[in-house]
Amino acid sequence: GRPYWQPVTPDSLRRIAAKNWEGEETVASAFLMGKWKPLENLTLNGGVRYESTSTVFKWKASDVDPPLPIDPVTGETLGGVTLPRVADTRAKIDYENFLPSGYAVYRYKDHVFRAAVSKTLARPDFDDLVPLDINALFQSWGEFFGSPDDDIYIYNPQIKEQTSVNFDLAWEWYYSEGSMFSATLFRKDLKDFHLNQEVVRPDVLFPVLDEDTGLQEVDGDGNLVFDTEDQEIKFAGNGADRTIEGIELSFQQSFADLLPSPLDGLGTLINYTYMKGTETNTQFDPDALLRGEFVSIGEVVSDGLSGQPEHIINAQLYWEKWGLSTRVAYNYVSEYDREVFSPDRDQIRADYTQ
């Protein structure tokens, strides 16, 4: 039979990338801030931050030893056959951001009112920026990378920084010493949201392996047996945008002035958050992904959020006195979808308490 290269699994590809890359990120920034107090009880703060980011990453593929080619039928190493080393790949990306912010605080007796607007950014994880060229591995080491159940993970040196415009409006009431109630409305408009994505590469040709020996099966005529299966390609990319809005309620009650000693050390903390939103995901061409190109072929919109529950409740009952402290805590998180664009029901995380 014709030579069949020793399978290299996607997990080993990730290990190769994780162990054989180097990168450098340089950030230059400047910040300008002003403070104004037009009224005795009103304070205004405003400013702008400028950031320039430059990243250079190199996948040191030439440091990786090629796999050994084996005979698909006998499992023996093929003598005299040496696979070539893969050339190093390098990626550089530069970007600039202006990040304005404004903050207002108004105090009236036991009440505090706050309003804020800001723009922030989140940079990609270093691991996602490695310019691993999977097409070079296919070209140099053969087209078969494990069983049909294996997924391929592609690193994305083109991933952009994530930016968010944030709005907050809060009311705080300090009705007694050590006690308070607050309500906060919030909204976040995210652009180029970082999201782990997957696409399906249909009808990929794979060798049929014997379950007992792990070697490729041979038909009655002595020909190697192949079959086609769909294969998932996973990668980190930018969702087009994401909107999150909701309300957070907080309550703290101290019983220091309400109960006799030693019960006057008791207190409670309760926090409830409700959030909802929409998510837009960019769709990419799977064939272009294998060439290291991120070509958009459209967008899909969901009325849910990946990894974000709708309801979160935290509660604590505490006792603090004589230098001692003890707490009993309760936490509830409602059902959420780990990945709203995945048809897999296993992605649903059931609600839980602890």
Side-chain angles (χ1 to χ4, degrees), residues 12 17 27 62 80 86 131 152 164-165 187 195 199 201-202 226 229 234 265 289 291 302 308 311 323:
S12 65
V27 179
S62 59
V86 179
I152 292 178
S164 175
V165 178
R187 178 186 173 96
L195 194 65
V199 296
R201 184 181 175 222
F226 295 86
E229 296 283 349
K234 298 183 178 182
L289 286 174
R291 299 192 301 269
S302 170
Q308 292 288 350
H311 306 278

Side-chain angles (χ1 to χ4, degrees), residues 22-210:
E22 61 184 20
E24 179 179 319
E25 181 178 77
T26 303
V27 179
S29 64
F31 182 66
L32 179 65
M33 177 181 174
K35 184 177 181 180
W36 184 37
K37 200 174 178 66
L39 301 174
E40 181 179 356
N41 296 334
L42 176 63
T43 302
L44 303 177
N45 291 279
V48 61
R49 184 179 183 87
Y50 166 78
E51 292 196 358
S52 174
T53 306
S54 177
T55 61
V56 179
F57 280 81
K58 178 181 180 182
W59 179 48
K60 302 171 69 176
S62 59
D63 291 348
V64 180
D65 293 330
L68 297 175
I70 62 173
D71 187 288
V73 178
T74 66
E76 297 178 355
T77 301
L78 296 174
V81 179
T82 302
L83 296 178
R85 289 184 179 272
V86 179
D88 295 345
T89 55
R90 182 178 181 273
K92 185 178 188 296
I93 185 170
D94 301 319
Y95 51 90
E96 298 178 327
N97 300 93
F98 287 91
L99 308 172
S101 63
Y103 185 62
V105 180
Y106 180 76
R107 302 178 186 275
Y108 178 75
K109 295 182 179 180
D110 298 329
H111 303 270
V112 179
F113 302 89
R114 304 179 190 271
V117 59
S118 64
K119 184 178 182 180
T120 57
L121 71 84
R123 296 180 176 85
D125 292 339
F126 282 176
D127 286 345
D128 292 329
L129 293 170
V130 177
L132 187 153
D133 187 352
I134 195 169
N135 190 53
L137 298 181
F138 274 106
Q139 294 287 336
S140 301
W141 294 351
E143 63 178 325
F144 306 117
F145 281 74
S147 72
D149 294 330
D150 284 337
D151 300 329
I152 292 178
Y153 190 95
I154 296 180
Y155 294 79
N156 183 2
Q158 304 302 319
I159 193 170
K160 303 176 183 177
E161 77 279 15
Q162 169 187 307
T163 59
S164 175
V165 178
N166 315 292
F167 304 90
D168 296 276
L169 188 63
W171 164 55
E172 301 167 3
W173 177 29
Y174 298 89
Y175 56 88
S176 66
E177 184 175 355
S179 302
M180 61 89 69
F181 174 80
S182 69
T184 302
L185 296 173
F186 60 87
R187 178 186 173 96
K188 298 179 182 295
D189 293 322
L190 296 98
K191 183 180 179 182
D192 293 321
F193 180 71
H194 297 163
L195 194 65
N196 290 327
Q197 302 185 56
E198 60 184 51
V199 296
V200 175
R201 184 181 175 222
D203 300 329
V204 178
L205 186 66
F206 285 97
V208 177
L209 305 181
D210 186 275

Side-chain angles (χ1 to χ4, degrees), residues 198 232 337-348:
E198 60 184 51
E232 290 185 351
D337 199 332
R338 293 187 179 93
E339 177 49 70
V340 295
F341 296 108
S342 173
D344 189 356
R345 288 296 299 175
D346 291 340
Q347 297 284 351
I348 302 295

